[in-house]
């Protein structure tokens, strides 16, 4: 306990050494000599031929300006990417939905910054103030990164081979640029 009476320290979420991916352990010849945890799911339904569950309605809802967000497209692309890596059964669909909505909102904020600029007018004084879209954009980008790291960590820890290549998260900036051009 600190002098001011508050409890500090202790275990924190995300603190400590990160888990080493399974592929890295295999590549290094299992230096710890412990039995490697390879997840085998034997009593689950075979999902190979199953189609993607439809995204929830809120991902495709019309916005106040009449446009739809890119959330459904991002959801579908992320789901397909996970399916190709055979990890789709390890990630809750709700997490993919949250990620897709967060990316879509970030893009929406960036479009507003482009349209309205970095400054806004204070409602009572009329003076120039920083645009609230900048702070919202930063917040959504942080949320997007956190959600993606959760998804990617599961993929990384459960792949027996090292994965290299493009991910749906790498495509976020491309989506932003094409959304700004209108197509």
């Amino acid at each position: 306990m600190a002098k001011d009476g508050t409890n500090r320290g202790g275990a924190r979420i995300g603190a400590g050494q990160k888990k080493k991916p399974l592929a890295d352990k295999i590549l290094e010849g299992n230096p710890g000599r412990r039995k490697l945890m390879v997840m085998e799911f034997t009593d689950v339904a075979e999902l190979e031929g199953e189609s993607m569950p439809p995204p929830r309605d809120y991902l495709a809802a019309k916005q106040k300006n009449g446009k739809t967000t890119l959330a459904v497209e991002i959801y579908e692309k992320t789901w397909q990417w996970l399916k190709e890596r055979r990890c789709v059964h390890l990630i809750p669909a709700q997490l993919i939905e949250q990620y897709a909505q967060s990316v879509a909102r970030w893009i929406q904020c960036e479009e507003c910054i482009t349209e309205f600029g970095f400054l806004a007018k204070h409602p009572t004084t009329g003076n120039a103030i920083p645009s609230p879209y900048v702070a919202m954009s930063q917040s959504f980008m942080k949320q997007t990164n956190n959600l993606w790291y959760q998804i990617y960590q599961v993929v990384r820890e459960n792949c027996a081979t090292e994965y290299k290549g493009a991910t749906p998260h790498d495509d976020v900036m491309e989506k932003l640029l094409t959304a700004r051009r209108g197509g």
Side-chain angles (χ1 to χ4, degrees), residues 13-25:
I13 295 173
Q17 187 174 2
K18 304 294 180 223
K19 288 184 179 180
K20 189 179 276 193
L22 178 62
D24 289 352
K25 291 178 186 177

Side-chain angles (χ1 to χ4, degrees), residues 109-120 129-134:
C109 286
E110 289 295 324
E111 289 174 342
C112 288
I113 292 169
T114 300
E115 185 177 340
F116 303 120
F118 290 104
L119 295 177
I129 60 170
S131 172
Y133 294 113
V134 174

Side-chain angles (χ1 to χ4, degrees), residues 4-153:
D4 63 358
T6 58
N7 286 323
R8 296 191 191 131
R12 292 178 185 83
I13 295 173
Q17 187 174 2
K18 304 294 180 223
K19 288 184 179 180
K20 189 179 276 193
L22 178 62
D24 289 352
K25 291 178 186 177
I26 292 171
L27 189 65
E28 294 171 1
N30 192 14
R33 302 286 182 237
R34 291 189 183 125
K35 185 177 179 189
L36 294 178
M37 171 88 169
V38 178
M39 296 177 78
E40 296 284 336
F41 295 97
T42 57
D43 58 340
V44 294
E46 182 61 40
L47 300 175
E48 284 300 313
E50 297 295 318
S51 61
M52 174 185 71
R56 293 195 192 175
D57 293 338
Y58 77 91
L59 292 176
K62 292 257 187 228
Q63 304 304 302
K64 189 173 181 178
N65 62 5
K67 294 181 184 178
T68 56
T69 64
L70 297 171
V72 172
E73 181 185 340
I74 295 164
Y75 173 83
E76 291 170 351
K77 189 169 185 172
T78 305
W79 183 273
Q80 188 61 38
W81 184 84
L82 289 167
K83 185 176 180 182
E84 289 168 1
R85 277 138 199 89
R86 297 177 159 212
C87 291
V88 76
H89 64 285
L90 300 172
I91 310 289
Q94 192 174 27
L95 184 60
I96 302 170
E97 289 172 351
Q98 289 173 353
Y99 170 73
Q101 185 71 352
S102 183
V103 171
R105 292 287 186 219
W106 174 70
I107 291 172
Q108 193 175 19
C109 286
E110 289 295 324
E111 289 174 342
C112 288
I113 292 169
T114 300
E115 185 177 340
F116 303 120
F118 290 104
L119 295 177
K121 189 161 90 172
H122 192 277
T124 56
T125 64
N127 294 336
I129 60 170
S131 172
Y133 294 113
V134 174
M136 286 190 288
S137 174
Q138 291 170 344
S139 176
F140 279 118
M141 191 63 208
K142 182 177 181 182
Q143 181 182 16
T144 297
N145 284 332
N146 286 336
L147 291 166
W148 177 252
Y149 293 143
Q150 289 178 39
I151 293 169
Y152 193 71
Q153 187 68 23

